Amino acid sequence: NMAVATTLNAVLMLLLVQRVRGTVFYVSVSNGSDTASGLSPSRAFQTIHKCLQATFAASVDSTCVALQGTYRESVDLDLFKGNSTLHHKLSGNGQKVVLSGLDLLPRSTWVRAGNTTQCIWKTAIPQEMLKTKQLFYKGKLMVQAQYPNLDVTRSLATQSLIASKSWLRVSHGSIYGTIVHPGLKQFPEGSLNGALATLNVAHQYFTWTRKVENFSSINGAFNYTKDLPSLGAWLNNMNWWHTNQFFLSGSIVLLDSPGEWVVSNSSLYFWPPSNTGECSPPNQQDVEVKTRNYTIYQGMESKAVSKLAYSKNLSLDQARYERSESETPLLSNFAIDRVDFFGAGIRIDNCNGCAMTNVQLLYPSHDPEVPEMYANNTSNAPSSGCFGNGNKIENLTVAFSNNDGFHFGGNNGLLTNVIVGFTDYLGTLTYKPLSLYGLNLSITHATVYAFGNAGIVTYVPKMSNFTWEGTIAVSYSHVHGGGRIGRDHSLLYTNAEKGNDHSSGVRWHHNIAHNATEKCLRADDLSHNTTIDHNVVYDCGIYPDVEERSATSGLGIVPKGDYHLIFANTIFKTNMSDLCLPSCPRDPFPHQNNHSNIFNTIAVTDTGAPCSCNSSYLNFPGGNISAIYAGTNYMFMDPKK
């Protein structure tokens, strides 16, 4: 009865008060008001912005407790100036609290569009929604019109990571600047001009986006501007262009399947999926569109980061790290606990002593366009992350992002108990499911799975001396099911640029890595001073259905460069080489792996080319090798049998 319900609510509110310390403010999206005091659940604020504003203004440690509900707002933490010695927290306190990047479509009239065989509806949308990049219908993600089509009745994340379903292999005649495919002949002459072409071409470890030009229906071909960076030797290598893949999106001409949508001429066109086969306009309250990239952010000046990256030829993570090291932190001792994010991410770029616990990010970031890694642009794709010193993240889940998963950077930080799945659908090394950049960082007990290119990516800032200290450690983690799009990728990855020690001190230990399209563990060009030990590595090169080269590119552990320490690993079931140890020259190393030590490892040792580069140069592996057990037919055994 009513009396019992009232008593239960009072008890619940009392428990909320007892579970937090210091000054407590409350926010309720459904029953609150920003003109209230916020000092009790019955006098709660309505917006998280107002609640955190009061929290940071308090003269003692304070907490903003969010009551159950979906909060559709974006909060800039840089607007709040608090005492850096105090602790501030945003807490869901065990309730279902969701910070959403989506807004409901405002009420308007739907008009039937398209031909009679299609169920396409059209409605005008406000200015702030014209550039939306995601649309959800009845809580489920729909597809921006594309070719080839995806089936919205099945998992879009799974389809996006199967190249044969979400990409088209180019046909004969494709070369730099030109894509040929017979399926393009179905579209009217010139109709695809201006559509977005997503191009996994050339070496295929990067993906680019360009506008379609000079579309010819007769030839089934189109052009794109020939300005792709970092092609090098691939520019004039004809063989590399015959295995490329692409897909098209963003044009109203491509809207021909249930679940697809597109924005054109200030209107939203949408084909709502139907279980009955009837063609009815969508219920306005069932349509949500993405209007915010972040619901919580701090220190995130994307233009400043991009300009710094371009001016110094840095990656975006390098630029963020440099800014966090050179600027006084604007945020300290801020924590987020038991809060879910949906359709938007969280970005904290300059914080000391920050923490996240029990946080879930679903569909945190999405961008159909791929920014160039070092391009002279003023923005970059949204990506969730935390940079600064002494930060700790625990019990984090990230899933369903076509680009990045989560970036963790700075110094003296810990990332533990993390699950990252279904990321980097575009299969480019530009994006990382889970990346670490800094000094004395540790990630442990992470599970990273289902991704397009590399899985866990680790980098160390430039250092003056070689070191074995393990400045970045990845341990007790499980990485699998990666490299599903494109080529030349691995499950765990690090590398070094010439003149920079971007791998020195990286340590990977006590991990399980398996089910890779090509490489499993890879210290790439010019790497040095990595430690790789006590890992179990298997099933490397097992997806020949993804791309034919995987049949000859399954490598277990691949340390390029020199000064590596590799021991106590178990490697088996790779289709090319368990232990690939290049020995040929690569500036600045006269002989790669001349000072590397590899011992106490179960593996079928490298027998020469191609792992030793070119058999005409040296037909034996690099490194100082001892105590390698090379047996046959390794397999898991049930210890009970």
Side-chain angles (χ1 to χ4, degrees):
N1 59 32
M2 185 64 68
V4 173
T6 302
T7 302
L8 287 175
N9 286 333
V11 171
L12 288 173
M13 294 305 179
L14 179 61
L15 290 174
L16 289 178
V17 173
Q18 292 176 340
R19 290 172 66 176
V20 293
R21 295 180 178 180
T23 300
V24 181
F25 297 94
Y26 296 87
V27 56
S28 172
V29 68
S30 56
N31 298 312
S33 170
D34 280 354
T35 61
S37 67
L39 291 173
S40 70
S42 62
R43 293 177 290 169
F45 296 124
Q46 187 177 41
T47 64
I48 289 177
H49 179 277
K50 182 66 176 178
C51 189
L52 286 178
Q53 185 181 47
T55 300
F56 277 85
S59 58
V60 296
D61 291 351
S62 52
T63 298
C64 169
V65 172
L67 303 181
Q68 182 170 322
T70 298
Y71 295 80
R72 303 177 189 272
E73 58 178 299
S74 188
V75 181
D76 182 357
L77 298 178
D78 283 339
L79 298 177
F80 311 135
K81 307 299 180 183
N83 188 326
S84 62
T85 64
L86 297 178
H87 292 76
H88 311 288
K89 179 187 284 188
L90 170 63
S91 176
N93 225 49
Q95 301 187 84
K96 183 62 175 178
V97 175
V98 179
L99 276 63
S100 176
L102 313 179
D103 281 330
L104 292 168
L105 205 63
R107 291 190 176 277
S108 59
T109 303
W110 289 96
V111 178
R112 184 80 179 265
N115 59 49
T116 57
T117 64
Q118 300 174 321
C119 185
I120 299 174
W121 296 86
K122 167 186 174 183
T123 187
I125 57 175
Q127 183 73 26
E128 62 270 19
M129 293 184 174
L130 291 178
K131 294 184 178 180
T132 187
K133 296 174 181 178
Q134 281 184 307
L135 182 147
F136 289 77
Y137 182 58
K138 297 182 178 180
K140 187 175 181 179
L141 180 65
M142 299 290 102
V143 181
Q144 189 177 30
Q146 73 167 63
Y147 176 69
N149 294 328
L150 298 180
D151 184 355
V152 296
T153 66
R154 300 176 180 273
S155 168
L156 293 178
T158 299
Q159 293 175 76
S160 297
L161 288 171
I162 300 176
S164 60
K165 292 184 179 294
S166 56
W167 297 74
L168 295 169
R169 182 67 63 87
V170 301
S171 297
H172 182 73
S174 297
I175 191 61
Y176 185 34
T178 300
I179 295 290
V180 179
H181 190 277
L184 298 174
K185 295 181 179 181
Q186 66 182 287
F187 300 102
E189 185 72 17
S191 63
L192 293 178
N193 288 335
L196 187 68
T198 302
L199 309 166
N200 183 241
V201 297
H203 41 60
Q204 292 184 260
Y205 51 78
F206 285 141
T207 297
W208 296 277
T209 48
R210 293 292 185 271
K211 295 295 184 180
V212 171
E213 302 173 0
N214 306 317
F215 170 59
S216 170
S217 178
I218 297 174
N219 298 321
F222 66 84
N223 300 128
Y224 59 88
T225 303
K226 296 194 291 185
D227 61 352
L228 306 184
S230 306
L231 292 187
W234 289 274
L235 186 61
N236 298 312
N237 188 331
M238 297 289 290
N239 293 330
W240 283 94
W241 299 90
H242 295 162
T243 60
N244 295 173
Q245 54 191 3
F246 75 101
F247 66 86
L248 304 179
S249 63
S251 172
I252 194 170
V253 179
L254 301 173
L255 205 171
D256 59 1
S257 178
E260 289 192 328
W261 64 273
V262 72
V263 173
S264 179
N265 296 324
S266 301
S267 293
L268 170 64
Y269 294 80
F270 177 41
W271 185 333
S274 171
N275 295 328
T276 64
E278 296 181 358
C279 182
S280 302
N283 187 324
Q284 209 81 17
Q285 296 302 303
D286 288 335
V287 181
E288 296 175 284
V289 297
K290 186 182 184 76
T291 57
R292 291 172 290 279
N293 289 327
Y294 303 97
T295 50
I296 298 285
Y297 64 96
Q298 178 273 331
M300 191 211 67
E301 300 177 27
S302 59
K303 291 185 178 181
V305 170
S306 293
K307 288 180 179 179
L308 178 62
Y310 177 74
S311 65
K312 293 190 174 183
N313 197 33
L314 304 173
S315 71
L316 294 176
D317 276 354
Q318 290 169 331
R320 291 185 183 106
Y321 179 83
E322 188 165 309
R323 290 186 71 228
S324 69
E325 286 294 284
S326 62
E327 299 178 2
T328 301
L330 299 176
L331 187 65
S332 299
N333 304 319
F334 175 65
I336 298 177
D337 178 50
R338 286 172 286 186
V339 174
D340 293 343
F341 294 76
F342 190 93
I346 178 172
R347 185 87 220 178
I348 295 178
D349 270 353
N350 193 0
C351 181
N352 286 355
C354 283
M356 297 183 203
T357 54
N358 306 302
V359 170
Q360 178 176 261
L361 300 167
L362 299 182
Y363 304 97
S365 58
H366 181 91
D367 198 331
E369 297 192 46
V370 182
E372 314 300 332
M373 289 192 72
Y374 307 107
N376 186 16
N377 56 24
T378 57
S379 64
N380 48 72
S383 61
S384 292
C386 180
F387 272 71
N389 297 315
N391 298 324
K392 181 179 180 180
I393 298 177
E394 186 175 10
N395 300 336
L396 172 71
T397 300
V398 183
F400 311 126
S401 168
N402 84 326
N403 48 42
D404 285 313
F406 196 85
H407 292 250
F408 189 57
N411 300 330
N412 306 311
L414 173 64
L415 187 63
T416 183
N417 291 337
V418 182
I419 299 175
V420 181
F422 293 101
T423 58
D424 190 16
Y425 304 161
L426 301 181
T428 177
L429 194 55
T430 311
Y431 299 135
K432 292 94 175 173
L434 189 58
S435 73
L436 284 81
Y437 186 95
L439 298 175
N440 299 319
L441 298 178
S442 176
I443 175 172
T444 183
H445 297 92
T447 298
V448 181
Y449 67 99
F451 46 89
N453 197 289
I456 299 180
V457 180
T458 52
Y459 294 108
V460 178
K462 184 175 181 179
M463 301 173 66
S464 58
N465 299 307
F466 290 157
T467 175
W468 299 92
E469 63 191 31
T471 54
I472 287 185
V474 178
S475 63
Y476 300 99
S477 294
H478 184 194
V479 190
H480 62 99
R484 299 308 306 265
I485 305 295
R487 291 182 164 189
D488 204 18
H489 26 54
S490 60
L491 301 181
L492 271 74
Y493 181 85
T494 189
N495 80 342
E497 298 177 5
K498 189 174 181 179
N500 295 293
D501 301 342
H502 286 168
S503 62
S504 183
V506 168
R507 184 185 179 196
W508 301 331
H509 66 95
H510 294 91
N511 302 293
I512 298 176
H514 63 96
N515 287 59
T517 302
E518 294 186 15
K519 294 85 174 170
C520 279
L521 275 61
R522 183 180 191 180
D524 210 354
D525 297 335
L526 309 183
S527 293
H528 42 266
N529 289 84
T530 66
T531 302
I532 304 174
D533 62 282
H534 294 91
N535 300 286
V536 177
V537 180
Y538 63 96
D539 281 347
C540 309
I542 66 162
Y543 293 131
D545 61 307
V546 176
E547 50 97 356
E548 70 281 354
R549 199 174 66 174
S550 67
T552 57
S553 296
L555 307 176
I557 296 180
V558 191
K560 293 185 177 181
D562 203 355
Y563 299 95
H564 301 295
L565 181 62
I566 302 172
F567 63 95
N569 298 286
T570 299
I571 317 162
F572 61 101
K573 291 182 69 177
T574 67
N575 67 16
M576 185 63 190
S577 176
D578 288 353
L579 198 55
C580 170
L581 303 168
S583 59
C584 57
R586 183 69 186 267
D587 186 37
F589 305 112
H591 301 293
Q592 292 186 80
N593 288 306
N594 194 42
H595 304 89
S596 297
N597 292 291
I598 304 95
F599 56 93
N600 289 0
T601 287
I602 296 176
V604 177
T605 55
D606 185 352
T607 57
C611 290
S612 298
C613 308
N614 189 326
S615 60
S616 64
Y617 172 73
L618 286 175
N619 197 31
F620 56 83
N624 303 296
I625 303 174
S626 61
I628 303 295
Y629 177 78
T632 59
N633 298 322
Y634 300 127
M635 64 183 67
F636 284 117
M637 300 294 292
D638 187 344
K640 296 180 181 180
K641 293 183 179 181

